[in-house]
């Protein structure tokens, strides 16, 4: 999939491949292969299920980073992995490892994120991992969002960020709040169930889901379609 994407893109935009695993050996293998396939960067989720201490997380990420030469973004999403990286751990990795350059933050813990950004003092790139929190993360020094919403509304997601960067924070906030009802429907069941349903509704032929994910409940799908119509994308 990564190889196909890189071939289709042909260098027009960067490709960031998700190669994280709860096995360091597997994550190294996937990361090396993604770099060979032409990926411009990697997104590495924290090791899930077996978890790790903060020392283990640092060792895990350093081992992967040493195996490749392309930039790496950490992916911090405790709600899906059961693992919390402390601000100190994230900053240490971004300071000490040349090709670990930032973090996709989906913890929703603004106090922790603020502490991290204060400690980092410009040493890391911050990206929002939650579509309903783009503007607050940009206000803390964020560079953008790694987004679910952008799969169905790329221009609108772009404009939320660009308006902020252009200094029109009022418009950025307006666009953020206008997107909230659709974002809520895109997460009414576990991601990526709703976004695949949305793409199929748009005729994008995203196809079915693989177990253990199941097709969207009919009532939820109707609510999603209504939100898409209200947002002007269906």
């Amino acid at each position: 999939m990564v190889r196909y994407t890189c071939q289709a893109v042909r260098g027009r935009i960067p490709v960031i491949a998700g190669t994280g695993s709860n096995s360091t050996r597997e994550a190294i293998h996937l990361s090396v292969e993604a770099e060979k396939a032409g990926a411009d960067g990697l997104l590495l989720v924290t090791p899930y299920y077996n978890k790790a201490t903060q020392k283990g997380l640092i060792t895990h990420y350093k081992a992967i980073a040493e195996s490749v030469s392309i930039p790496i973004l950490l992916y911090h999403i405790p709600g899906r992995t059961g693992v919390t990286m402390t601000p100190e751990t994230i900053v240490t990795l971004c300071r000490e490892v040349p090709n670990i350059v930032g973090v996709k933050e989906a913890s929703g813990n603004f106090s922790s994120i603020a502490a991290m950004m204060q400690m980092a003092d410009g040493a890391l790139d911050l990206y929002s991992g939650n579509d309903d929190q783009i503007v607050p993360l940009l206000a803390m020094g964020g560079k953008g969002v790694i987004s679910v919403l952008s799969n169905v509304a790329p221009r609108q997601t772009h404009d939320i960020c660009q308006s902020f960067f252009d200094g029109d924070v009022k418009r950025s906030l307006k666009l953020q709040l206008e997107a909230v009802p659709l974002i809520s429907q895109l997460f009414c069941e576990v991601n990526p169930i709703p976004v695949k349903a949305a793409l199929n509704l748009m005729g994008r032929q995203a196809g079915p889901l693989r177990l253990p994910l199941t097709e969207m409940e009919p009532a939820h799908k109707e609510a999603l379609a209504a939100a898409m119509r209200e947002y002007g994308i269906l």
Side-chain angles (χ1 to χ4, degrees), residues 17-95:
T19 55
S21 172
N22 65 339
S23 161
T24 304
R25 182 183 297 176
E26 181 179 359
I28 288 172
H29 169 71
L30 293 172
S31 299
V32 168
E33 291 302 312
E35 183 175 28
K36 288 179 184 176
D40 299 286
L42 304 173
L43 181 67
L44 297 175
V45 72
T46 49
Y48 40 86
Y49 182 70
N50 52 349
K51 303 186 179 182
T53 63
Q54 298 302 304
K55 177 182 176 182
L57 290 170
I58 291 171
T59 306
H60 170 81
Y61 279 118
K62 283 185 173 181
I64 301 168
E66 288 170 0
S67 72
V68 295
S69 60
I70 53 179
I72 290 169
L73 287 173
L74 310 173
Y75 185 9
H76 187 211
I77 182 164
R80 294 194 78 141
T81 65
V83 176
T84 297
M85 282 195 289
T86 65
E88 293 83 357
T89 293
I90 296 171
V91 173
T92 294
L93 285 165
C94 290
R95 285 193 183 280

Side-chain angles (χ1 to χ4, degrees), residues 130-208:
N130 293 324
D131 286 308
D132 60 348
Q133 298 173 355
I134 301 171
V135 173
L137 266 288
L138 295 180
M140 290 188 181
K143 297 292 182 72
V145 59
I146 300 175
S147 166
V148 173
L149 175 66
S150 65
N151 287 279
V152 296
R155 171 58 61 186
Q156 294 90 331
T157 309
H158 166 273
D159 288 350
I160 292 171
C161 297
Q162 193 61 53
S163 296
F164 188 96
F165 299 142
D166 290 342
D168 194 346
V169 177
K170 185 175 181 180
R171 180 171 185 265
S172 178
L173 177 59
K174 178 177 180 291
L175 295 173
Q176 169 80 91
L177 296 179
E178 285 176 353
V180 166
L182 175 57
I183 293 167
S184 296
Q185 293 304 319
L186 287 171
F187 289 90
C188 70
E189 294 187 25
V190 67
N191 180 56
I193 292 173
V195 74
K196 288 200 78 170
L199 288 166
N200 285 328
L201 286 168
M202 297 171 75
R204 297 292 186 182
Q205 298 180 352

